Amino acid sequence: MSWQTYVDEHLMCDIEGQHLTSAAIIGHDGSVWAQSESFPQFKPEEIIAIMTDFAEPGSLAPTGLFLAGTKYMVIQGEGGAVIRGKKGAGGVTIKKTSQALIFGVYDEPLTPGQCNMVVERLGDYLVDQGL
């Protein structure tokens, strides 16, 4: 299965009639493996900051998480495994696997829990596959 298929069929899937706003699978080095058409153009330093937070949980909390210049307030995640950010009625969930970062961006009416479930389920599957 191609990485684009994971994004199209597993991340951008129908969730009770709703969809994520955008999604992507990005290598730890910031290389894009696959992304939805709507995924924002992020900056390399944003991926570096996210990777730093996975290595040193809590490092993003004082400054916030930035993705394509949009600032998200960091909310509870799982240190070293999941980062969650909130901005207004939407947010972002990032799951780290051994080789990649799985991004899901959502907005109402999708809930944070629905986004978390989709992103983390795919991330857990990829971890189990050694990816």
Side-chain angles (χ1 to χ4, degrees), residues 86-99:
K86 185 98 172 101
K87 177 176 176 47
V92 61
T93 301
I94 308 165
K95 168 75 176 179
K96 181 179 180 270
T97 72
S98 60
Q99 298 178 26

Side-chain angles (χ1 to χ4, degrees), residues 4-123:
Q4 192 61 50
T5 303
Y6 282 114
V7 170
D8 296 341
E9 295 182 6
H10 296 279
L11 293 174
M12 297 300 289
C13 63
D14 184 278
I15 308 159
E16 297 176 18
Q18 304 300 320
H19 299 86
L20 293 176
T21 306
S22 61
I25 301 173
I26 297 172
H28 289 180
D29 62 357
S31 61
V32 176
W33 294 8
Q35 66 183 17
S36 64
E37 285 183 32
S38 54
F39 195 75
Q41 182 60 49
F42 59 87
K43 299 175 182 132
E45 59 268 23
E46 294 170 336
I47 301 301
I48 292 168
I50 290 166
M51 288 301 296
T52 299
D53 193 78
F54 279 118
E56 303 164 22
S59 67
L60 285 177
T63 60
L65 169 114
F66 286 85
L67 185 63
T70 299
K71 181 178 181 178
Y72 295 87
M73 179 179 64
V74 178
I75 55 175
Q76 136 288 339
E78 296 170 31
V82 178
I83 298 171
R84 297 185 184 108
K86 185 98 172 101
K87 177 176 176 47
V92 61
T93 301
I94 308 165
K95 168 75 176 179
K96 181 179 180 270
T97 72
S98 60
Q99 298 178 26
L101 301 173
I102 315 299
F103 284 79
V105 179
Y106 70 93
D107 211 339
E108 283 188 335
L110 211 66
T111 66
Q114 289 170 314
C115 179
N116 296 343
M117 180 187 67
V118 169
V119 171
E120 294 175 39
R121 183 171 48 198
L122 177 60

